[in-house]
Amino acid sequence: MLGKAKLSAVAGGSPEATLTGSALSAAQDGANSIDSVLEARALLSREALSRARLVQQESGERIESVVTRLGLMSEQSLCEHLADASGMPMAPAEMLREPVALEQPVAADFLRDIRAVPIAIDDARVCVAVVDPFDLFVENAFRFLFKRRVDRVIARASDIDAAIERLCHDGTDAAVIEDTVESGDIDRMRDLTSDAPAIRTVNRLIAEAVDANASDIHVEPSDDSLTVRFRIDGMLRLVTRLPQAMRSSVVARIKVMAGLDIAERRIPQDGRLRLAVRGHEIDLRVATAPSIHGESAVLRILDRSNLKLEFAALGLDDRLVKQFREAIHLPYGIVLVTGPTGSGKTTTLYAALAELNQIERKLLTVEDPIEYRLPGIVQTQVQPGIGFTFATALRSFLRQDPDAIMVGEIRDVETAQIAVQAALTGHMILSTLHTNTAAGAITRLIDMEVEPFLLSSVLAGVLAQRLVRRLCMHCRVPFAPDEALLASLGIDATVGGENHFHRAAGCTACHGTGYSGRIALFDFLPVDDAIARLILKRVDARQIEECASAAGHRSLLQEGYAKAAQGLTTIEEVLRVASGE
């Protein structure tokens, strides 16, 4: 039983603010169905609406499910328009995530059929989240079930589906699936992993991950459960533990969606899939691997709708943008981006390609894998199993008359040497390298048997980058660090101008972490005459850094301290991410 506080919160603080049957009837004048709202408000083009109606007739789905599944509208936009048309308030997504205790159980199939779920109840009334505000059967059904006044609020269909799963979770279906899976009947397993329990669970996890702005979903079997974690802002966060009985079925469902071989569990597999989430097209890269408790899976979320291929959007300041642009616009040379896995190197290279992408230029990429599809650019994925490696692709690409080539990663001596030869013959090469610092990339290439006199003539610049968590603007706390502490860290008390250091606190908006989102730290090392002379002498990375520092170059740590002084992140976060530079 939930008290009046929660019911009042749903209605925006007023117990009378929710819309009941009589008020809704008045609001329905001129708009008595979702279909009529779509048409009257011209939310879809005539062709799109006709297409949705045709699919609805063929599939028997509800019209709201069709328009969001086809990507014609996002769930959020549809909810907002329905709320406006009906006068019914929208339920905050957080309220659907909180479990509600009911006096008597309600069948999950019934709730799924009417697309509604109770989210709050007290002695006088029950609040029900609905997808369709014009379906009065929902109000009548819940009034009969609970013998209370019924208040309705609008919510997204996927949030309601997830709430139903939490409210009515039944392990019997999962147990049946597990028994069948272990029997080795692959055909039956394929059928069952496409059935309700597995498909609903996987779809719910993907939707929740997208809502949380997670970059990865980790599904890991253990002795007694299936652990699900999301990587949010670079940190793993426990989301749920699914019953042991669902270990095989959930991973098998993921493999079916990604087009992988569900019968093969002994070796790792890679795949990808695309689906509409909240009305947006989302790409997911799937990797599975065997473990002692079964197969684990990691899903990398690639949301093209949030991809902004602009240097300013990535976080490069005007000074770095100018230097980086000068480097990539050279007629030939090599520009490298370095950093650990997951630091945004590929996104930076895509932004460089977007900058170069003009009709008079031929651009080619060789990647592993292709993360985003870029119009106007020829993109190729390596296939090591058939001998099509980075080196092989780079060598063949030179006969395609390119102006610039993006190589996903320089991994070996052969690729490094071919990249240098390609740059010497008049091509711009963009690539990544796994080193901790920009200067370290130079010594790494020399270690890969690239001759210093060749490297000094073709290397245009190296960009090192890291991602640090951004402070939550809702709960950050001003912090005045001791000057002795700043001095011990080598921080100039005047770095970044006026200082606005803050600490992480934690609130509901950031799930108690104190951070929300990430920002990038960049360190661009242009190869000028002074650096070129040091390369010829085969000096170590430290001497290159000292030379660059004397010329006004700022390291990753210094860039991070400047961001901390602006109140964007914390000193602790900068040290965690960039102290190993």
Side-chain angles (χ1 to χ4, degrees):
M1 299 282 285
L2 295 180
K4 294 183 179 179
K6 183 173 179 180
L7 287 163
S8 177
V10 175
S14 170
E16 287 74 30
T18 51
L19 203 63
T20 56
S22 59
L24 180 59
S25 297
Q28 284 179 223
D29 292 340
N32 56 10
S33 69
I34 294 178
D35 188 291
S36 60
V37 171
L38 294 173
E39 183 173 18
R41 297 192 167 214
L43 301 179
L44 301 178
S45 67
R46 189 186 302 273
E47 296 77 11
L49 184 56
S50 298
R51 177 187 171 202
R53 286 169 172 165
L54 179 62
V55 173
Q56 181 192 19
Q57 291 173 359
E58 293 177 346
S59 64
E61 294 180 79
R62 294 171 177 263
I63 189 68
E64 69 271 13
S65 298
V66 172
V67 297
T68 55
R69 180 169 62 81
L70 296 179
L72 302 176
M73 280 189 74
S74 70
E75 286 189 341
Q76 183 65 28
S77 177
L78 180 61
C79 278
E80 290 170 356
H81 283 289
L82 291 177
D84 184 55
S86 66
M88 183 179 292
M90 290 181 59
E94 310 83 60
M95 302 200 68
L96 277 83
R97 300 191 186 109
E98 298 178 16
V100 56
L102 300 179
E103 296 169 336
Q104 68 270 359
V106 183
D109 288 342
F110 170 72
L111 296 178
R112 293 187 194 107
D113 185 55
I114 64 174
R115 304 301 290 278
V117 64
I119 59 173
I121 186 171
D122 66 11
D123 294 335
R125 57 183 174 161
V126 58
C127 183
V128 180
V130 301
V131 173
D132 185 353
F134 308 112
D135 185 359
L136 294 180
F137 171 77
V138 173
E139 180 178 351
N140 296 329
F142 279 96
R143 185 184 296 114
F144 175 79
L145 283 172
F146 293 98
K147 305 296 188 291
R148 290 172 174 84
R149 168 185 158 187
V150 176
D151 291 336
R152 288 177 293 161
V153 291
I154 294 180
R156 296 181 299 194
S158 52
D159 288 334
I160 288 178
D161 290 341
I164 293 172
E165 288 299 307
R166 283 188 286 269
L167 182 66
C168 307
H169 179 72
D170 184 355
T172 56
D173 291 339
V176 172
I177 290 180
E178 182 69 12
D179 290 342
T180 308
V181 169
E182 296 304 325
S183 72
D185 185 350
I186 299 302
D187 291 334
R188 178 64 176 158
M189 174 181 170
R190 185 183 296 275
D191 292 339
L192 285 172
T193 54
S194 299
D195 203 359
I199 192 171
R200 286 199 302 269
T201 299
V202 173
N203 288 348
R204 172 172 59 84
L205 291 175
I206 292 174
E208 288 182 356
V210 172
D211 280 347
N213 293 319
S215 60
D216 302 87
I217 304 172
H218 291 249
V219 181
E220 302 158 335
S222 61
D223 257 338
D224 57 353
S225 65
L226 184 68
T227 302
V228 180
R229 298 188 290 173
F230 293 167
R231 188 175 293 279
I232 301 174
D233 299 336
M235 306 290 284
L236 282 172
R237 186 181 301 169
L238 178 65
V239 176
T240 187
R241 296 185 190 276
L242 298 173
Q244 180 183 16
M246 298 191 74
R247 284 189 310 187
S248 296
S249 60
V250 168
V251 175
R253 171 62 190 167
I254 292 171
K255 292 171 71 174
V256 168
M257 294 172 69
L260 303 180
D261 183 0
I262 61 172
E264 180 56 78
R265 308 181 199 175
R266 300 166 298 173
I267 59 175
Q269 297 186 65
D270 295 316
R272 64 186 306 138
L273 63 117
R274 177 179 296 176
L275 70 163
V277 178
R278 315 294 195 207
H280 296 294
E281 288 288 336
I282 302 292
D283 288 320
L284 293 105
R285 204 170 73 207
V286 178
T288 65
S291 73
I292 58 173
H293 299 296
E295 283 185 290
S296 66
V298 176
L299 291 77
R300 168 67 56 89
I301 300 172
L302 306 171
D303 186 356
R304 293 177 296 164
S305 64
N306 290 332
L307 184 65
K308 296 181 180 178
L309 299 180
E310 300 172 357
F311 293 136
L314 296 179
L316 277 82
D317 60 32
D318 293 341
R319 175 182 59 87
L320 288 177
V321 168
K322 182 176 181 295
Q323 292 179 324
F324 194 57
R325 275 202 174 114
E326 288 176 353
I328 65 174
H329 279 285
L330 290 172
Y332 66 90
I334 298 177
V335 175
L336 297 173
V337 181
T338 74
T341 300
S343 60
K345 300 187 298 296
T346 303
T347 303
T348 301
L349 287 181
Y350 280 157
L353 288 173
E355 173 90 8
L356 296 173
N357 191 10
Q358 298 175 8
I359 194 66
E360 62 269 18
R361 287 196 180 103
K362 169 91 171 200
L363 304 180
L364 302 174
T365 76
V366 52
E367 308 171 56
D368 183 23
I370 298 172
E371 293 196 4
Y372 297 100
R373 285 149 174 87
L374 304 177
I377 298 175
V378 179
Q379 296 177 264
T380 307
Q381 181 166 328
V382 298
Q383 301 286 348
I386 59 173
F388 187 61
T389 62
F390 281 120
T392 305
L394 186 54
R395 187 183 292 110
S396 66
F397 277 4
L398 297 179
R399 296 189 287 273
Q400 295 288 319
D401 189 28
D403 293 289
I405 303 174
M406 192 267 270
V407 181
E409 182 184 349
I410 295 180
R411 294 178 177 174
D412 50 44
V413 173
E414 185 181 9
T415 305
Q417 293 178 342
I418 297 173
V420 169
Q421 293 299 322
L424 286 170
T425 54
H427 303 88
M428 171 53 65
I429 306 297
L430 307 174
S431 189
T432 68
L433 197 64
H434 283 285
T435 61
N436 289 328
T437 64
I442 296 174
T443 54
R444 173 67 178 142
L445 287 173
I446 293 176
D447 289 341
M448 296 173 78
E449 301 178 14
V450 175
E451 291 293 340
F453 74 92
L454 294 177
L455 186 60
S456 63
S457 62
V458 299
L459 188 61
V462 184
L463 182 75
Q465 68 181 77
R466 299 286 193 281
L467 293 176
V468 295
R469 290 181 292 171
R470 182 191 291 270
L471 273 168
C472 174
M473 296 296 114
H474 298 285
C475 64
R476 63 178 184 171
V477 178
F479 167 56
D482 184 81
E483 289 190 8
L485 172 63
L486 295 179
S488 69
L489 294 172
I491 304 176
D492 184 350
T494 62
V495 65
E498 187 179 355
N499 289 336
H500 298 281
F501 290 100
H502 286 73
R503 277 199 184 101
C507 64
T508 54
C510 60
H511 302 283
T513 63
Y515 299 92
S516 179
R518 288 192 288 180
I519 55 176
L521 308 179
F522 293 100
D523 164 15
F524 185 69
L525 178 66
V527 179
D528 55 18
D529 291 341
I531 300 296
R533 285 193 292 270
L534 292 178
I535 293 175
L536 288 173
K537 295 179 181 178
R538 295 177 178 262
V539 302
D540 60 25
R542 181 65 62 187
Q543 291 176 269
I544 295 175
E545 289 171 356
E546 290 172 354
C547 176
S549 179
H553 171 263
R554 293 203 307 191
S555 68
L556 278 173
L557 268 178
Q558 290 171 323
E559 290 288 342
Y561 293 150
K563 291 286 196 299
Q566 296 167 25
L568 299 176
T569 187
T570 61
I571 294 175
E572 293 82 1
E573 180 69 5
V574 172
L575 290 172
R576 180 184 71 83
V577 172
S579 61
E581 65 161 351

